[in-house]
Amino acid sequence: QASSVASPKLHQGAVKLANHRRECCPPFEALMPSGPTLLAAQQWEPVVWQKAARKGKASKSSSEVNAALRQGVAVETSKRMAGGCNKTRSVSVAAAEPAAARKLDEQTEAFRHERVSHDFKMALQQARLAKNLSQGQLATQMNEKSSVIHEYEAGKAIPNGAVINKLNRALRAPAARKVSK
């Protein structure tokens, strides 16, 4: 019987407490909103961003150009080269300048870099051997790589004035300056 007596009292106390909270305290949801509640009502219409239409001299649409022509206004239009399409510039340049493209196609001359002459490479090798130097030792004296000396002695090097001057100083003998193609 004690539990049956206590239960109506507990129930009445809980109801009083709930009524009191409703009257004096705002609900928890009002204190801590969940989600965007800045707007009173949701807006479902889409937002579309558009540029303002060009006016006057800068208008581009063909209808505006035609309207201006009908009114008798002087209109100047120009087509840009490959404007508004994905063509590469090289294709349009070749199409615009066929004479230059033809000139390149007709050119058959082979260009080659000058190489050291046979006389130069033999003089260099004899001067080095006269000093009893290896290619590596000569390169160390000149502050160059040994591959540079090897290329000059093999006749594969492209003549460089600074390297030739270093060779002359290191060997103390003026080397031949002839070059061959």
Side-chain angles (χ1 to χ4, degrees):
Q1 282 192 2
S3 64
S4 65
V5 172
S7 110
K9 285 184 182 179
L10 283 174
H11 180 67
Q12 288 174 355
V15 170
K16 283 183 183 178
L17 182 62
N19 288 339
H20 172 71
R21 283 189 179 161
R22 266 189 240 126
E23 291 172 4
C24 73
C25 302
F28 180 73
E29 291 82 19
L31 294 175
M32 297 295 294
S34 61
T37 58
L38 299 174
L39 302 173
Q42 289 190 356
Q43 297 175 345
W44 291 101
E45 58 272 354
V47 176
V48 179
W49 295 90
Q50 293 180 343
K51 285 184 172 180
R54 296 177 182 235
K55 297 178 183 175
K57 291 183 178 180
S59 63
K60 284 186 163 182
S61 71
S62 60
S63 62
E64 291 175 353
V65 171
N66 289 336
L69 287 172
R70 277 186 233 113
Q71 292 174 358
V73 178
V75 176
E76 181 181 338
T77 59
S78 61
K79 175 77 173 158
R80 290 186 183 171
M81 194 162 155
C85 60
N86 290 331
K87 292 180 183 176
T88 61
R89 182 174 170 3
S90 62
V91 171
S92 60
V93 168
E97 300 174 15
R102 191 178 323 110
K103 193 182 291 184
L104 284 174
D105 289 339
E106 292 172 356
Q107 190 173 21
T108 58
E109 185 179 347
F111 294 103
R112 292 188 182 175
H113 289 287
E114 294 179 342
R115 305 282 182 202
V116 292
S117 68
H118 180 72
D119 295 336
F120 179 85
K121 69 179 186 177
M122 294 309 291
L124 173 63
Q125 190 174 18
Q126 289 172 359
R128 178 181 59 82
L129 291 174
K131 295 275 186 176
N132 291 326
L133 295 173
S134 68
Q135 288 181 351
Q137 290 171 338
L138 179 59
T140 305
Q141 276 186 341
M142 295 173 40
N143 292 327
E144 291 285 342
K145 295 181 181 178
S146 60
S147 62
V148 172
I149 305 300
H150 174 72
E151 286 179 359
Y152 271 88
E153 286 188 5
K156 296 179 182 178
I158 299 170
N160 182 349
V163 174
I164 292 173
N165 286 337
K166 285 182 183 181
L167 282 168
N168 289 339
R169 269 186 264 124
L171 297 173
R172 290 184 181 83
R177 294 179 180 257
K178 292 182 181 176
V179 290
S180 63
K181 286 192 176 191

